[in-house]
Coordinates of all heavy atoms in Angstrom, one line a residue:
M1 N -24.0 -4.9 10.8 CA -23.6 -4.0 9.7 C -22.2 -4.4 9.1 O -21.3 -4.5 9.9 CB -23.6 -2.6 10.1 CG -23.4 -1.5 9.0 SD -24.0 0.1 9.6 CE -22.6 1.1 9.1
S2 N -22.1 -4.4 7.8 CA -20.8 -4.8 7.1 C -19.9 -3.6 7.1 O -20.4 -2.5 7.2 CB -21.1 -5.3 5.8 OG -22.0 -6.3 5.8
D3 N -18.6 -3.8 6.9 CA -17.7 -2.8 6.7 C -17.6 -2.4 5.1 O -17.8 -3.3 4.4 CB -16.2 -3.3 7.1 CG -16.2 -3.3 8.6 OD1 -16.8 -2.6 9.3 OD2 -15.3 -4.1 9.0
V4 N -17.4 -1.1 4.9 CA -17.2 -0.7 3.5 C -15.9 -1.0 3.0 O -14.9 -0.8 3.7 CB -17.5 0.9 3.4 CG1 -17.4 1.3 2.1 CG2 -18.9 1.2 4.0
A5 N -15.8 -1.6 1.9 CA -14.5 -2.0 1.2 C -14.3 -1.1 0.1 O -15.1 -1.0 -0.8 CB -14.6 -3.4 0.8
V6 N -13.2 -0.4 0.2 CA -12.7 0.6 -0.9 C -11.7 0.0 -1.7 O -10.7 -0.5 -1.2 CB -12.4 2.0 -0.2 CG1 -11.9 2.9 -1.3 CG2 -13.5 2.5 0.6
S7 N -11.9 0.1 -3.0 CA -10.8 -0.4 -4.0 C -10.6 0.7 -5.0 O -11.5 1.5 -5.3 CB -11.3 -1.7 -4.6 OG -12.4 -1.6 -5.3
H8 N -9.4 0.6 -5.7 CA -9.0 1.5 -6.7 C -9.4 0.8 -8.1 O -9.0 -0.4 -8.2 CB -7.6 1.8 -6.6 CG -7.1 2.8 -7.5 ND1 -5.8 3.1 -7.8 CD2 -7.8 3.7 -8.3 CE1 -5.6 4.0 -8.8 NE2 -6.9 4.5 -9.0
A9 N -10.0 1.4 -8.9 CA -10.3 1.0 -10.3 C -9.7 1.9 -11.3 O -10.3 2.7 -11.9 CB -11.9 1.0 -10.4
P10 N -8.4 1.9 -11.5 CA -7.6 2.8 -12.3 C -8.0 2.8 -13.7 O -8.0 3.7 -14.4 CB -6.2 2.4 -12.2 CG -6.2 1.0 -11.7 CD -7.5 0.8 -10.9
D11 N -8.5 1.7 -14.2 CA -9.1 1.6 -15.6 C -10.3 2.4 -15.8 O -10.6 2.8 -17.0 CB -9.3 0.1 -16.0 CG -10.2 -0.6 -15.1 OD1 -10.2 -0.4 -13.9 OD2 -11.1 -1.4 -15.6
Q12 N -11.0 2.7 -14.8 CA -12.2 3.6 -14.8 C -11.9 4.9 -14.2 O -12.9 5.7 -14.1 CB -13.3 2.9 -14.2 CG -13.7 1.6 -14.8 CD -15.0 0.9 -14.2 OE1 -15.8 1.6 -13.6 NE2 -15.2 -0.3 -14.4
S13 N -10.7 5.2 -13.7 CA -10.3 6.4 -13.1 C -11.3 6.8 -11.9 O -11.8 7.8 -11.9 CB -10.3 7.6 -14.1 OG -9.4 7.4 -15.1
R14 N -11.4 5.8 -11.0 CA -12.2 6.1 -9.9 C -11.8 5.1 -8.7 O -11.2 4.0 -9.0 CB -13.7 5.9 -10.3 CG -14.2 4.5 -10.6 CD -15.6 4.6 -11.0 NE -16.3 3.3 -11.0 CZ -17.6 3.1 -11.3 NH1 -18.4 4.1 -11.6 NH2 -18.1 1.9 -11.2
F15 N -12.3 5.4 -7.6 CA -12.2 4.6 -6.4 C -13.8 4.1 -6.2 O -14.7 4.8 -6.4 CB -11.8 5.3 -5.2 CG -10.2 5.5 -5.2 CD1 -9.7 6.7 -5.9 CD2 -9.3 4.6 -4.7 CE1 -8.4 6.9 -6.0 CE2 -8.0 4.8 -4.7 CZ -7.5 6.0 -5.4
E16 N -13.9 2.8 -5.8 CA -15.2 2.3 -5.6 C -15.4 1.7 -4.2 O -14.4 1.3 -3.5 CB -15.4 1.1 -6.6 CG -15.3 1.4 -8.0 CD -15.4 0.2 -9.0 OE1 -15.2 -0.9 -8.5 OE2 -15.8 0.5 -10.1
A17 N -16.5 2.0 -3.7 CA -16.9 1.5 -2.3 C -18.0 0.3 -2.5 O -18.9 0.5 -3.3 CB -17.5 2.5 -1.6
H18 N -17.6 -0.8 -1.9 CA -18.6 -1.9 -1.9 C -19.1 -2.2 -0.6 O -18.3 -2.2 0.5 CB -17.8 -3.2 -2.5 CG -17.4 -3.0 -3.9 ND1 -18.1 -3.3 -5.0 CD2 -16.3 -2.4 -4.4 CE1 -17.5 -3.0 -6.1 NE2 -16.3 -2.5 -5.8
L19 N -20.3 -2.5 -0.4 CA -20.9 -2.9 0.9 C -22.1 -3.9 0.7 O -22.8 -3.8 -0.4 CB -21.6 -1.6 1.5 CG -22.1 -1.7 2.8 CD1 -21.1 -2.1 3.8 CD2 -22.8 -0.4 3.2
D20 N -22.1 -4.9 1.4 CA -23.1 -6.0 1.3 C -23.1 -6.6 0.0 O -24.1 -7.0 -0.6 CB -24.5 -5.4 1.7 CG -24.6 -4.9 3.1 OD1 -23.8 -5.3 3.9 OD2 -25.5 -4.1 3.4
G21 N -22.0 -6.7 -0.6 CA -21.8 -7.4 -2.0 C -22.1 -6.6 -3.1 O -22.0 -7.1 -4.3
G22 N -22.5 -5.3 -3.0 CA -22.8 -4.5 -4.2 C -21.9 -3.2 -4.1 O -21.4 -2.8 -3.2
L23 N -21.9 -2.7 -5.4 CA -21.2 -1.3 -5.5 C -22.1 -0.2 -4.9 O -23.3 0.0 -5.2 CB -21.1 -1.0 -7.1 CG -20.5 0.3 -7.3 CD1 -19.0 0.4 -6.9 CD2 -20.5 0.6 -8.9
A24 N -21.6 0.4 -3.8 CA -22.3 1.3 -3.1 C -22.1 2.8 -3.4 O -22.8 3.7 -3.2 CB -22.0 1.1 -1.6
G25 N -20.9 3.0 -4.1 CA -20.6 4.3 -4.5 C -19.2 4.4 -5.1 O -18.5 3.4 -5.2
F26 N -18.9 5.5 -5.7 CA -17.6 5.8 -6.4 C -17.2 7.3 -6.2 O -18.0 8.1 -6.1 CB -17.6 5.3 -7.8 CG -18.6 6.0 -8.6 CD1 -18.4 7.2 -9.3 CD2 -19.9 5.4 -8.7 CE1 -19.4 7.8 -10.0 CE2 -20.9 6.0 -9.5 CZ -20.6 7.2 -10.1
A27 N -15.8 7.5 -6.4 CA -15.3 8.9 -6.4 C -14.4 8.8 -7.7 O -13.3 8.1 -7.8 CB -14.5 9.1 -5.2
E28 N -14.8 9.6 -8.6 CA -14.1 9.7 -9.9 C -13.0 10.8 -9.9 O -13.2 11.7 -9.1 CB -15.1 10.1 -11.0 CG -16.1 9.1 -11.3 CD -17.1 9.5 -12.4 OE1 -17.4 10.8 -12.6 OE2 -17.7 8.6 -13.1
Y29 N -12.0 10.5 -10.6 CA -10.8 11.5 -10.7 C -10.2 11.6 -12.1 O -10.5 10.8 -13.0 CB -9.8 11.1 -9.7 CG -9.1 9.8 -10.0 CD1 -8.1 9.7 -11.0 CD2 -9.5 8.6 -9.5 CE1 -7.4 8.5 -11.3 CE2 -8.9 7.4 -9.7 CZ -7.9 7.4 -10.7 OH -7.3 6.1 -11.0
Q30 N -9.5 12.6 -12.3 CA -8.6 12.7 -13.5 C -7.2 13.0 -13.0 O -7.0 13.7 -12.0 CB -9.1 14.0 -14.4 CG -10.5 13.8 -14.8 CD -11.0 15.0 -15.7 OE1 -10.4 16.1 -15.7 NE2 -12.1 14.8 -16.3
L31 N -6.3 12.5 -13.7 CA -4.8 12.6 -13.4 C -4.2 13.6 -14.3 O -4.6 13.8 -15.5 CB -4.1 11.3 -13.6 CG -4.5 10.2 -12.6 CD1 -3.6 8.9 -13.0 CD2 -4.5 10.6 -11.2
A32 N -3.3 14.4 -13.7 CA -2.5 15.5 -14.5 C -1.2 15.4 -13.8 O -0.9 14.7 -12.8 CB -3.2 16.9 -14.3
E33 N -0.3 16.1 -14.5 CA 1.1 16.1 -14.0 C 1.2 16.5 -12.5 O 0.9 17.6 -12.2 CB 2.0 17.1 -14.9 CG 3.5 17.1 -14.5 CD 4.2 16.0 -15.1 OE1 3.8 15.5 -16.2 OE2 5.2 15.6 -14.4
G34 N 1.5 15.5 -11.7 CA 1.7 15.8 -10.3 C 0.4 16.0 -9.5 O 0.4 16.4 -8.3
L35 N -0.8 15.9 -10.2 CA -2.1 16.2 -9.5 C -3.1 15.0 -9.8 O -3.0 14.4 -10.8 CB -2.7 17.4 -10.2 CG -1.9 18.7 -10.0 CD1 -2.6 19.8 -10.9 CD2 -1.9 19.2 -8.5
I36 N -4.0 14.9 -8.8 CA -5.1 14.0 -9.0 C -6.3 15.0 -8.6 O -6.4 15.7 -7.6 CB -5.2 12.9 -8.1 CG1 -6.5 12.0 -8.3 CG2 -5.0 13.2 -6.6 CD1 -6.4 10.6 -7.7
V37 N -7.3 15.1 -9.6 CA -8.4 16.0 -9.5 C -9.6 15.1 -9.3 O -10.0 14.3 -10.1 CB -8.6 16.8 -10.7 CG1 -9.8 17.8 -10.6 CG2 -7.3 17.6 -11.1
F38 N -10.2 15.3 -8.0 CA -11.4 14.5 -7.8 C -12.6 15.3 -8.3 O -12.7 16.4 -7.9 CB -11.6 14.3 -6.2 CG -10.7 13.2 -5.8 CD1 -9.4 13.4 -5.2 CD2 -11.0 11.8 -5.9 CE1 -8.6 12.5 -4.8 CE2 -10.2 10.8 -5.5 CZ -8.9 11.1 -4.9
T39 N -13.4 14.8 -9.2 CA -14.4 15.5 -9.9 C -15.8 15.1 -9.6 O -16.7 16.0 -9.6 CB -14.2 15.2 -11.4 OG1 -14.3 13.8 -11.6 CG2 -12.9 15.7 -12.0
H40 N -16.0 14.0 -9.0 CA -17.4 13.5 -8.8 C -17.4 12.3 -7.7 O -16.7 11.5 -7.9 CB -18.1 13.2 -10.0 CG -19.5 12.8 -9.8 ND1 -20.6 13.6 -9.4 CD2 -20.2 11.5 -10.0 CE1 -21.7 12.9 -9.4 NE2 -21.5 11.7 -9.7
T41 N -18.2 12.5 -6.8 CA -18.4 11.4 -5.8 C -20.0 11.1 -5.8 O -20.8 12.0 -5.7 CB -18.0 11.7 -4.4 OG1 -16.6 11.9 -4.5 CG2 -18.1 10.5 -3.4
E42 N -20.3 9.8 -5.8 CA -21.8 9.4 -5.8 C -21.9 8.2 -4.9 O -21.0 7.2 -5.0 CB -22.1 9.0 -7.3 CG -23.6 8.9 -7.5 CD -24.0 8.8 -9.0 OE1 -23.4 9.6 -9.8 OE2 -24.7 7.8 -9.3
V43 N -23.0 8.2 -4.1 CA -23.4 7.1 -3.3 C -24.7 6.7 -3.7 O -25.7 7.5 -3.8 CB -23.2 7.4 -1.7 CG1 -23.8 6.3 -1.0 CG2 -21.8 7.8 -1.4
D44 N -24.8 5.4 -3.9 CA -26.2 4.9 -4.3 C -27.2 5.2 -3.2 O -26.9 4.9 -1.9 CB -26.1 3.3 -4.5 CG -27.3 2.8 -4.9 OD1 -28.4 3.0 -4.3 OD2 -27.3 1.9 -5.9
P45 N -28.3 5.7 -3.4 CA -29.3 6.1 -2.3 C -29.6 4.9 -1.4 O -29.9 5.1 -0.2 CB -30.6 6.5 -3.1 CG -30.0 7.0 -4.4 CD -28.8 6.1 -4.8
A46 N -29.6 3.8 -1.9 CA -29.8 2.5 -1.0 C -28.7 2.3 0.1 O -29.1 1.6 1.1 CB -29.9 1.3 -1.9
F47 N -27.6 2.9 -0.1 CA -26.6 2.8 0.9 C -26.3 4.2 1.6 O -25.3 4.2 2.4 CB -25.3 2.4 0.1 CG -25.4 1.0 -0.5 CD1 -25.6 0.9 -1.8 CD2 -25.2 -0.1 0.4 CE1 -25.7 -0.4 -2.3 CE2 -25.3 -1.4 -0.2 CZ -25.6 -1.4 -1.5
E48 N -27.1 5.1 1.4 CA -26.9 6.5 2.1 C -27.0 6.3 3.6 O -27.8 5.5 4.1 CB -27.8 7.5 1.6 CG -27.5 8.0 0.2 CD -28.3 9.0 -0.3 OE1 -29.3 9.5 0.3 OE2 -28.0 9.5 -1.4
G49 N -26.2 7.1 4.4 CA -26.3 7.1 5.9 C -25.6 5.9 6.5 O -25.7 5.7 7.7
R50 N -24.8 5.2 5.7 CA -24.0 4.1 6.2 C -22.6 4.2 6.2 O -21.7 3.3 6.3 CB -24.4 2.8 5.5 CG -25.9 2.5 5.7 CD -26.4 1.3 4.9 NE -25.8 0.1 5.3 CZ -26.0 -1.1 4.6 NH1 -26.9 -1.1 3.6 NH2 -25.4 -2.2 5.0
G51 N -22.1 5.5 6.0 CA -20.6 5.8 6.1 C -19.9 5.6 4.8 O -18.6 5.5 4.7
V52 N -20.6 5.2 3.8 CA -20.0 4.9 2.4 C -19.2 6.1 1.9 O -18.0 5.9 1.5 CB -21.1 4.5 1.4 CG1 -20.3 4.3 0.0 CG2 -21.7 3.2 1.8
G53 N -19.7 7.3 1.9 CA -19.0 8.5 1.4 C -17.7 8.7 2.2 O -16.7 9.1 1.6
S54 N -17.8 8.7 3.5 CA -16.6 8.9 4.3 C -15.6 7.9 4.1 O -14.4 8.2 4.0 CB -17.0 8.9 5.8 OG -17.7 10.1 6.1
A55 N -16.0 6.6 4.0 CA -15.0 5.5 3.8 C -14.3 5.7 2.4 O -13.1 5.5 2.2 CB -15.7 4.2 3.8
L56 N -15.1 6.1 1.4 CA -14.6 6.3 0.0 C -13.6 7.4 0.0 O -12.5 7.4 -0.6 CB -15.8 6.7 -0.9 CG -15.7 6.6 -2.3 CD1 -15.1 5.2 -2.8 CD2 -17.1 6.8 -2.9
A57 N -13.9 8.6 0.7 CA -12.9 9.7 0.7 C -11.7 9.3 1.4 O -10.6 9.6 0.9 CB -13.7 10.9 1.4
R58 N -11.9 8.7 2.6 CA -10.7 8.3 3.4 C -9.8 7.3 2.5 O -8.6 7.4 2.5 CB -11.1 7.7 4.7 CG -9.8 7.4 5.6 CD -10.3 6.8 6.9 NE -11.2 7.6 7.6 CZ -10.9 8.7 8.4 NH1 -9.6 9.1 8.5 NH2 -11.8 9.4 9.0
G59 N -10.4 6.3 2.0 CA -9.7 5.4 1.2 C -8.9 5.9 0.1 O -7.8 5.5 -0.3
A60 N -9.6 6.8 -0.7 CA -9.0 7.4 -1.9 C -7.9 8.3 -1.5 O -6.7 8.2 -2.0 CB -10.0 8.2 -2.6
L61 N -8.1 9.1 -0.4 CA -7.0 10.1 0.0 C -5.8 9.3 0.7 O -4.7 9.7 0.4 CB -7.6 11.0 1.0 CG -8.6 12.0 0.2 CD1 -9.3 12.9 1.2 CD2 -7.8 12.9 -0.8
D62 N -6.2 8.2 1.3 CA -5.0 7.4 1.9 C -4.2 6.7 0.7 O -3.0 6.7 0.9 CB -5.5 6.3 2.8 CG -6.0 6.8 4.2 OD1 -5.7 7.9 4.6 OD2 -6.7 6.0 4.9
A63 N -4.9 6.4 -0.3 CA -4.1 5.7 -1.5 C -3.2 6.8 -2.1 O -2.1 6.6 -2.5 CB -5.1 5.2 -2.5
V64 N -3.7 8.1 -2.2 CA -2.9 9.1 -2.8 C -1.8 9.4 -1.9 O -0.6 9.6 -2.2 CB -3.7 10.5 -2.9 CG1 -2.9 11.7 -3.3 CG2 -4.9 10.2 -3.9
R65 N -2.1 9.5 -0.5 CA -0.9 9.8 0.5 C 0.1 8.7 0.4 O 1.4 9.0 0.5 CB -1.5 9.9 1.9 CG -0.4 10.2 2.9 CD -0.9 10.3 4.3 NE -2.0 11.1 4.6 CZ -2.0 12.4 4.8 NH1 -0.9 13.1 4.7 NH2 -3.0 13.1 5.0
A66 N -0.3 7.4 0.2 CA 0.8 6.4 0.1 C 1.4 6.3 -1.2 O 2.4 5.6 -1.3 CB 0.0 5.0 0.5
G67 N 0.9 7.0 -2.2 CA 1.7 7.0 -3.5 C 1.4 5.8 -4.2 O 2.3 5.3 -5.0
E68 N 0.3 5.1 -4.0 CA 0.0 3.8 -4.7 C 0.1 4.0 -6.2 O -0.4 5.0 -6.7 CB -1.3 3.4 -4.2 CG -1.4 2.9 -2.8 CD -2.8 2.3 -2.3 OE1 -3.6 2.1 -3.2 OE2 -2.9 2.1 -1.1
E69 N 0.5 2.9 -6.8 CA 0.6 2.9 -8.3 C -0.8 2.7 -8.8 O -1.5 2.0 -8.2 CB 1.5 1.9 -8.8 CG 3.0 2.1 -8.5 CD 3.4 3.4 -9.2 OE1 3.0 3.7 -10.3 OE2 4.3 4.1 -8.6
P70 N -1.3 3.4 -9.9 CA -0.3 4.3 -10.8 C -0.4 5.6 -10.3 O 0.0 6.5 -11.1 CB -1.1 4.0 -12.1 CG -2.4 3.8 -11.8 CD -2.5 3.1 -10.5
L71 N -1.0 5.9 -9.1 CA -1.1 7.3 -8.7 C 0.2 8.0 -8.6 O 0.4 9.1 -9.0 CB -1.9 7.4 -7.5 CG -3.3 6.8 -7.5 CD1 -4.0 6.9 -6.2 CD2 -4.2 7.6 -8.6
G72 N 1.2 7.4 -7.8 CA 2.5 8.0 -7.5 C 2.2 9.2 -6.6 O 1.1 9.4 -6.2
P73 N 3.2 9.9 -6.2 CA 3.1 11.0 -5.4 C 2.3 12.2 -6.2 O 2.8 12.6 -7.2 CB 4.4 11.4 -5.0 CG 5.3 10.9 -6.0 CD 4.6 9.7 -6.5
R74 N 1.2 12.6 -5.6 CA 0.5 13.7 -6.3 C -0.2 14.6 -5.2 O -0.4 14.2 -4.1 CB -0.7 13.1 -7.1 CG -0.2 12.3 -8.3 CD -1.3 11.9 -9.2 NE -0.9 11.0 -10.2 CZ -0.4 11.3 -11.4 NH1 -0.6 12.6 -11.8 NH2 -0.1 10.3 -12.3
K75 N -0.5 15.8 -5.7 CA -1.3 16.7 -4.8 C -2.8 16.6 -5.3 O -3.0 16.3 -6.4 CB -0.8 18.2 -4.9 CG 0.5 18.4 -4.2 CD 0.3 18.2 -2.7 CE 1.4 18.7 -1.9 NZ 1.2 18.7 -0.5
V76 N -3.6 16.9 -4.4 CA -5.1 16.8 -4.6 C -5.8 18.2 -5.0 O -5.4 19.2 -4.3 CB -5.8 16.2 -3.4 CG1 -7.3 16.3 -3.5 CG2 -5.3 14.8 -3.2
I77 N -6.6 18.2 -6.0 CA -7.5 19.3 -6.3 C -8.9 18.6 -6.2 O -9.2 17.7 -6.9 CB -7.3 19.9 -7.7 CG1 -5.9 20.5 -7.7 CG2 -8.4 20.9 -7.9 CD1 -5.6 21.2 -9.1
A78 N -9.7 19.2 -5.3 CA -11.0 18.7 -5.0 C -12.1 19.6 -5.6 O -12.5 20.5 -5.0 CB -11.3 18.4 -3.6
T79 N -12.4 19.3 -6.9 CA -13.6 20.1 -7.4 C -14.9 19.5 -7.0 O -15.9 20.1 -7.2 CB -13.4 20.2 -9.0 OG1 -13.4 18.9 -9.6 CG2 -12.1 20.9 -9.5
C80 N -14.9 18.1 -6.6 CA -16.0 17.6 -6.1 C -16.3 18.2 -4.7 O -15.5 18.1 -3.8 CB -15.8 16.1 -6.0 SG -17.0 15.2 -5.0
P81 N -17.6 18.7 -4.6 CA -18.0 19.3 -3.3 C -17.8 18.3 -2.1 O -17.5 18.7 -0.9 CB -19.4 19.8 -3.5 CG -19.6 19.8 -4.9 CD -18.6 18.9 -5.5
F82 N -18.1 17.0 -2.3 CA -18.2 16.1 -1.2 C -16.6 16.0 -0.7 O -16.4 16.0 0.5 CB -18.8 14.7 -1.6 CG -18.7 13.8 -0.4 CD1 -19.7 13.9 0.4 CD2 -17.7 12.9 -0.3 CE1 -19.6 13.1 1.6 CE2 -17.6 12.1 0.8 CZ -18.6 12.0 1.7
I83 N -15.8 15.6 -1.6 CA -14.3 15.4 -1.3 C -13.8 16.7 -0.6 O -13.2 16.6 0.4 CB -13.5 15.0 -2.4 CG1 -14.0 13.7 -3.0 CG2 -12.0 14.9 -2.1 CD1 -13.7 12.4 -2.2
K84 N -14.1 17.8 -1.2 CA -13.6 19.1 -0.6 C -14.2 19.3 0.9 O -13.5 19.6 1.8 CB -14.0 20.3 -1.4 CG -13.5 21.6 -0.8 CD -14.0 22.9 -1.7 CE -13.4 24.1 -1.1 NZ -13.4 24.3 0.3
G85 N -15.5 19.0 1.0 CA -16.1 19.2 2.3 C -15.6 18.2 3.3 O -15.3 18.5 4.6
W86 N -15.2 16.9 2.9 CA -14.7 15.9 3.7 C -13.3 16.4 4.2 O -13.0 16.3 5.4 CB -14.6 14.6 3.0 CG -14.4 13.5 4.0 CD1 -15.3 12.7 4.6 CD2 -13.1 13.0 4.4 NE1 -14.6 11.8 5.4 CE2 -13.3 11.9 5.2 CE3 -11.7 13.3 4.1 CZ2 -12.3 11.2 5.9 CZ3 -10.7 12.6 4.7 CH2 -10.9 11.5 5.5
I87 N -12.5 16.9 3.2 CA -11.1 17.4 3.7 C -11.2 18.5 4.7 O -10.5 18.6 5.7 CB -10.3 17.8 2.5 CG1 -9.9 16.5 1.7 CG2 -9.0 18.4 2.8 CD1 -9.3 16.8 0.3
D88 N -12.2 19.5 4.5 CA -12.4 20.5 5.3 C -12.7 20.1 6.8 O -12.3 20.7 7.8 CB -13.6 21.4 5.0 CG -13.2 22.2 3.7 OD1 -12.0 22.4 3.3 OD2 -14.1 22.8 3.1
K89 N -13.5 18.9 6.9 CA -13.8 18.4 8.2 C -12.7 17.5 8.8 O -12.8 17.1 9.9 CB -15.0 17.5 8.1 CG -16.4 18.4 7.8 CD -17.5 17.5 7.6 CE -18.7 18.3 7.2 NZ -19.8 17.3 6.8
H90 N -11.7 17.1 8.0 CA -10.6 16.3 8.4 C -9.3 17.0 8.1 O -8.6 16.6 7.1 CB -10.7 14.9 7.8 CG -11.9 14.2 8.1 ND1 -13.1 14.4 7.5 CD2 -12.2 13.3 9.2 CE1 -14.1 13.7 8.1 NE2 -13.5 13.0 9.0
P91 N -8.8 17.9 8.9 CA -7.8 18.8 8.5 C -6.4 18.1 8.4 O -5.4 18.5 7.9 CB -7.7 19.9 9.6 CG -8.6 19.4 10.7 CD -9.6 18.5 10.1
D92 N -6.4 16.8 9.0 CA -5.2 16.0 8.9 C -4.9 15.5 7.4 O -3.8 15.0 7.1 CB -5.2 14.8 9.8 CG -6.5 14.0 9.8 OD1 -7.5 14.7 9.7 OD2 -6.4 12.8 9.9
Y93 N -5.9 15.8 6.6 CA -5.7 15.6 5.1 C -5.4 16.7 4.3 O -5.1 16.8 3.1 CB -6.8 14.8 4.6 CG -7.0 13.4 5.1 CD1 -7.5 13.0 6.3 CD2 -6.5 12.4 4.2 CE1 -7.5 11.7 6.7 CE2 -6.5 11.1 4.7 CZ -7.1 10.7 5.8 OH -7.1 9.3 6.3
A94 N -5.4 18.0 4.9 CA -5.3 19.2 4.1 C -3.9 19.3 3.5 O -3.8 20.1 2.5 CB -5.6 20.4 5.1
D95 N -2.9 18.6 4.0 CA -1.6 18.7 3.5 C -1.5 18.1 2.0 O -0.6 18.3 1.3 CB -0.5 18.0 4.3 CG -0.8 16.6 4.5 OD1 -1.9 16.1 5.0 OD2 0.1 15.8 4.2
L96 N -2.5 17.3 1.6 CA -2.6 16.7 0.3 C -3.0 17.7 -0.7 O -2.8 17.4 -1.8 CB -3.6 15.5 0.4 CG -3.1 14.3 1.2 CD1 -4.2 13.2 1.2 CD2 -1.8 13.7 0.6
L97 N -3.7 18.8 -0.3 CA -4.2 19.6 -1.3 C -3.2 20.4 -2.0 O -2.2 20.8 -1.4 CB -5.1 20.7 -0.6 CG -6.5 20.1 0.0 CD1 -7.1 21.1 0.8 CD2 -7.3 19.6 -1.2
Y98 N -3.4 20.7 -3.3 CA -2.5 21.5 -4.1 C -2.4 22.8 -3.5 O -3.4 23.4 -3.1 CB -3.1 21.6 -5.5 CG -2.2 22.5 -6.5 CD1 -1.1 22.0 -7.0 CD2 -2.7 23.7 -6.8 CE1 -0.2 22.8 -7.7 CE2 -2.0 24.5 -7.6 CZ -0.8 24.1 -8.0 OH 0.0 24.9 -8.9
G99 N -1.2 23.2 -3.3 CA -1.0 24.6 -2.7 C -0.7 24.5 -1.2 O -0.3 25.6 -0.6
A100 N -0.9 23.4 -0.5 CA -0.7 23.2 0.8 C 0.8 23.1 1.1 O 1.6 22.5 0.3 CB -1.4 22.0 1.4
R101 N 1.2 23.6 2.2 CA 2.6 23.5 2.6 C 2.9 22.1 3.1 O 2.0 21.4 3.6 CB 3.0 24.5 3.7 CG 3.0 25.9 3.2 CD 3.6 26.8 4.2 NE 2.7 27.1 5.3 CZ 3.0 27.9 6.2 NH1 4.1 28.6 6.2 NH2 2.1 28.1 7.1
E102 N 4.1 21.7 2.8 CA 4.5 20.3 3.3 C 4.6 20.3 4.8 O 4.9 21.3 5.4 CB 5.8 19.9 2.6 CG 5.9 19.8 1.2 CD 5.0 18.7 0.6 OE1 5.1 17.6 1.1 OE2 4.4 18.9 -0.4
R103 N 4.3 19.1 5.3 CA 4.4 19.1 6.8 C 5.9 18.9 7.2 O 6.7 18.5 6.6 CB 3.8 17.7 7.3 CG 2.3 17.7 7.2 CD 1.9 16.4 7.9 NE 0.6 15.9 7.5 CZ -0.1 15.1 8.1 NH1 0.4 14.5 9.2 NH2 -1.2 14.7 7.7

């Protein structure tokens, strides 16, 4: 089984997950002053059950935490149920949420 590769596609306002040479999924976002709003995450049904969604969430949130350009330092609003649920299951990422206290 191959590893999921997550990359940032800022021109499309999304993070992409690639597996076995194909686009396996993406997490779309919108940027606002000091915020990144994750609006939609989708995994191709052909790749479901292979950790694509989790890799996508972790990769995107790690990029936000690192302040990668063009993101810069931002807080997260997760209107996407998948990203919100993933953060709920991984409380070490809760500090990224808008309104969360700094560590």
Side-chain angles (χ1 to χ4, degrees):
M1 184 163 133
S2 302
D3 289 331
V4 178
V6 176
S7 61
H8 188 197
D11 56 320
Q12 295 182 26
S13 298
R14 69 185 197 177
F15 287 86
E16 297 179 340
H18 296 269
L19 184 63
D20 297 337
L23 179 64
F26 56 87
E28 296 176 332
Y29 65 81
Q30 295 177 350
L31 297 179
E33 183 78 29
L35 298 171
I36 182 168
V37 182
F38 284 97
T39 57
H40 179 70
T41 301
E42 190 171 315
V43 174
D44 185 310
F47 295 99
E48 286 181 358
R50 297 176 64 185
V52 172
S54 290
L56 198 47
R58 184 179 307 278
L61 294 169
D62 283 348
V64 172
R65 184 181 306 280
E68 290 181 12
E69 289 299 324
L71 301 176
R74 294 182 190 266
K75 286 293 189 177
V76 171
I77 295 178
T79 61
C80 167
F82 181 83
I83 298 291
K84 181 182 180 329
W86 193 91
I87 293 171
D88 288 346
K89 292 177 187 171
H90 299 85
D92 48 321
Y93 285 83
D95 64 302
L96 293 174
L97 291 171
Y98 177 75
R101 289 193 284 188
E102 297 294 320
R103 288 190 205 192

